């Protein structure tokens, strides 16, 4: 669902899954009809990536894990890197399951697969050398498709998450530069975990492939000391490479992702009320606006002592945990509620058109002089415009009124039975391997 919110103007979605068709995933019809589904029963992750790479038709192919949630401007940042003809791969930061902490902020790897974080906050153009190379995470990486296919694609013998590391090393060795785009962010709910024996075998395979022969014994000793798994390490050392891809002529046209939100849709920040009832009502309005096809981020302040978190749920972002301790003390010390600071931080990244809020926020907003333009939609709801667009206020008024009057009563989350699968529903195209 988060792919609907991507701002990039035209892209294709290739979904590689183990099921024979999309019916097994119970996707909304609009999504199912807009993706190119490729079944891959029993295939390991490196093989699935190769299947997707073979099926894709874009010049650049970006990869997400099934629990990866990209920011709306994710593809915009990644695509910027490939304007440089020397860039062969690119990626950005990965946030942890709480949507706040960083799980990955960039790293170098040596030729034994050991990483050293670099945490470069600015975009960078990085080159490999004889001793190290920049690495990316599998849930947030993009490759120049012809370059990757020319080196055989992902090595299916690498395994255990090291196929992306291996590809980065081989592309760097072939002279391709790496683009580091820290603002191309992805949220990943759960950190990938791998079987210990397979991980040890994969490291041994990587060492056998890339570490200078004189250094291999010491590198393998370190793996044994950390992980044990002697038998698996011996097996990994003697694996043969499996690089099945070759650059071939395209055999189908690109299928643009037709389910993305049109440019005419609104991007709104919705602030919760100070009471439980107000919070539920505002969340209902946020969900109703999402159902109407708008991009929405809901900022909930009802849990003052909860950890800060960001989730993508029911088709919109939910931000929580901004107020620690006594709200009045914080207001006296800073003059601005924390949710507004968070909205300010994300305003350009999410491209907000306006902030929707209960009238109860007026005292704080007037005191700070923050966003002086205020327009009442009705006695208890106000909007602050963040962008100057002709007709924007009228559109917001119409859409919010429709959401409140027509949709919001049914939009407040209540337990519902699973939606039945439409008989005979298929994706726009279904491919064999």
């Amino acid at each position: 669902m988060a792919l609907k919110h991507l701002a990039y103007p035209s892209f294709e979605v290739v979904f590689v899954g183990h099921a024979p068709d999309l019916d097994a995933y119970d996707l909304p019809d609009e999504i199912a009809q807009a993706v190119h589904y490729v079944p891959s029963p029993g295939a390991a992750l490196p093989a699935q990536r190769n299947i997707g790479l073979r099926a894709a038709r874009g010049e650049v192919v970006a990869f997400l894990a099934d629990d990866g949630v990209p920011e709306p401007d994710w593809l915009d940042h990644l695509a910027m890197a490939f304007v440089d003809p020397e860039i062969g791969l690119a990626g950005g930061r990965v946030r942890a399951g709480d949507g706040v902490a960083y799980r990955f902020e960039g790293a170098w790897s040596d030729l034994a697969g050991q990483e050293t974080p670099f945490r470069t906050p600015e975009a960078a153009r990085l080159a490999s050398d004889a001793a190290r190379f920049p690495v990316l995470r599998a849930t947030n990486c993009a490759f120049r498709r012809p370059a990757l296919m020319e080196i055989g694609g992902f090595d299916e013998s690498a395994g255990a998450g090291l196929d992306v590391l291996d590809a980065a090393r081989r592309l760097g060795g072939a002279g391709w530069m790496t683009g580091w785009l820290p603002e191309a962010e992805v949220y990943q709910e759960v950190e990938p975990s791998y079987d210990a024996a397979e991980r040890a075998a994969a490291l041994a395979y990587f060492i056998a492939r890339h570490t200078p022969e004189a250094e291999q014994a010491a590198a393998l000793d370190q793996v044994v000391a950390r992980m044990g798994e002697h038998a698996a390490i011996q097996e990994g050392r003697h694996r043969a490479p499996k690089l099945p891809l070759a650059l071939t002529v395209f055999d189908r046209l690109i299928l643009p992702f037709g389910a993305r939100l049109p440019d005419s849709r609104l991007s709104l920040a919705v602030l919760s009320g100070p009471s439980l009832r107000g919070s539920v009502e505002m969340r209902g309005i946020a969900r109703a606006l999402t159902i109407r096809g708008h991009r929405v981020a809901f900022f909930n302040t009802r849990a003052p002592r909860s950890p800060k978190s960001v989730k993508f749920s029911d088709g919109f972002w939910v931000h929580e945990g901004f107020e620690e301790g006594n709200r009045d003390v914080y207001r006296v010390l800073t003059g601005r509620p924390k949710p507004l600071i968070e909205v300010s931080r994300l305003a350009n990244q999410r491209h907000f058109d306006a902030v929707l809020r209960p009238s109860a926020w007026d005292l704080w907003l007037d005191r700070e002089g923050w966003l002086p333009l205020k327009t009442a939609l009705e006695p208890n709801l106000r909007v602050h415009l963040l962008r100057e667009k002709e007709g924007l206020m009228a559109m917001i008024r119409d859409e919010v009124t429709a959401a409140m009057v027509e949709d919001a009563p049914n939009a407040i989350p209540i337990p519902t039975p699973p939606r039945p699968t439409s008989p005979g529903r298929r994706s726009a195209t279904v491919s064999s391997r």
Side-chain angles (χ1 to χ4, degrees):
M1 293 294 289
L3 297 180
K4 292 177 59 176
H5 298 263
L6 291 178
Y8 196 73
S10 181
F11 58 93
E12 174 182 52
V13 174
V14 177
F15 178 12
V16 181
H18 291 297
D21 56 51
L22 271 178
D23 285 346
Y25 299 97
D26 193 29
L27 296 174
D29 288 334
E30 62 174 343
I31 300 292
Q33 293 167 7
V35 305
H36 179 65
Y37 183 68
V38 190
S40 60
L45 276 173
Q48 285 189 310
R49 277 189 263 275
N50 277 334
I51 291 167
L53 187 63
R54 185 188 291 115
R57 290 297 174 264
E59 170 73 11
V60 174
V61 178
F63 290 88
L64 278 171
D66 56 4
D67 63 342
V69 178
E71 280 285 351
D73 57 358
W74 174 62
L75 280 183
D76 298 80
H77 287 292
L78 290 181
M80 229 185 309
F82 292 94
V83 173
D84 183 340
E86 295 186 346
I87 295 291
L89 64 162
R93 295 181 294 206
V94 178
R95 290 188 186 263
D98 63 0
V100 178
Y102 284 111
R103 181 170 286 146
F104 178 73
E105 297 182 75
W108 295 100
S109 174
D110 64 19
L111 300 186
Q114 299 304 300
E115 296 184 8
T116 303
F118 57 63
R119 296 187 177 90
T120 301
E122 304 295 332
R125 185 176 181 270
L126 307 173
S128 302
D129 59 31
R132 67 176 190 173
F133 61 98
V135 297
L136 306 172
R137 286 294 178 261
T139 193
N140 186 2
C141 59
F143 295 84
R144 194 177 296 275
R145 183 178 182 272
L148 185 53
M149 294 192 77
E150 282 176 358
I151 63 170
F154 294 100
D155 189 342
E156 295 178 14
S157 292
L162 294 190
D163 55 321
V164 173
L165 185 73
D166 171 84
R169 175 56 190 164
R170 288 184 290 119
L171 284 169
W176 290 98
M177 305 286 288
T178 299
W180 173 245
L181 292 306
E183 298 303 319
E185 291 188 356
V186 170
Y187 301 78
Q188 188 173 27
E189 184 69 24
V190 179
E191 187 169 9
S193 60
Y194 303 99
D195 176 79
E198 173 55 26
R199 185 71 174 182
L203 280 169
Y205 176 76
F206 184 88
I207 290 168
R209 288 273 286 158
H210 300 293
T211 306
E213 189 172 354
E215 302 172 17
Q216 287 186 16
L220 288 169
D221 286 343
Q222 290 184 19
V223 177
V224 171
R226 290 198 317 271
M227 307 182 70
E229 305 293 347
H230 295 266
I233 289 171
Q234 290 304 311
E235 183 273 324
R237 285 184 59 200
H238 296 96
R239 286 181 183 176
K242 187 177 181 182
L243 299 162
L245 297 191
L247 190 58
T248 56
V249 178
F250 297 157
D251 57 7
R252 71 169 177 83
L253 297 176
I254 190 169
L255 176 71
F257 185 61
R260 65 180 293 272
L261 300 181
D263 293 337
S264 60
R265 296 293 84 189
L266 297 168
S267 179
L268 298 171
V270 178
L271 274 56
S272 76
S275 67
L276 177 60
R277 177 181 175 183
S279 177
V280 171
E281 288 177 350
M282 294 302 289
R283 188 180 185 119
I285 291 170
R287 188 163 183 261
L289 287 165
T290 299
I291 291 171
R292 294 187 64 81
H294 300 291
R295 180 186 301 141
V296 176
F298 176 65
F299 296 82
N300 185 19
T301 59
R302 278 295 304 164
R305 289 179 176 80
S306 64
K308 184 176 176 184
S309 69
V310 181
K311 303 288 184 184
F312 187 81
S313 175
D314 288 334
F316 58 96
W317 280 268
V318 178
H319 298 249
E320 295 181 317
F322 303 100
E323 304 275 353
E324 297 95 2
N326 187 286
R327 291 180 178 140
D328 292 333
V329 171
Y330 182 80
R331 185 172 73 248
V332 169
L333 292 176
T334 68
R336 181 184 293 186
K338 284 188 178 180
L340 298 182
I341 297 174
E342 186 72 357
V343 170
S344 297
R345 183 182 71 82
L346 293 168
N348 291 327
Q349 192 174 19
R350 300 280 177 82
H351 308 288
F352 291 135
D353 294 306
V355 179
L356 230 64
R357 57 176 178 76
S359 296
W361 287 89
D362 281 357
L363 181 62
W364 283 351
L365 293 172
D366 289 342
R367 173 180 178 173
E368 179 67 10
W370 195 77
L371 301 176
L373 176 59
K374 295 183 298 183
T375 305
L377 293 178
E378 54 93 21
N380 296 316
L381 193 65
R382 295 181 182 273
V383 63
H384 288 254
L385 296 181
L386 296 181
R387 297 184 185 278
E388 294 183 6
K389 291 182 181 178
E390 185 177 352
L392 178 61
M393 191 64 238
M395 181 181 181
I396 293 174
R397 184 186 301 277
D398 292 344
E399 289 298 299
V400 172
T401 300
M404 292 176 65
V405 174
E406 301 171 13
D407 301 323
N410 298 320
I412 297 174
I414 57 174
T416 56
R419 184 177 61 82
T421 303
S422 303
R425 188 190 63 192
R426 293 291 184 271
S427 62
T429 55
V430 178
S431 294
S432 63
R433 288 182 61 183

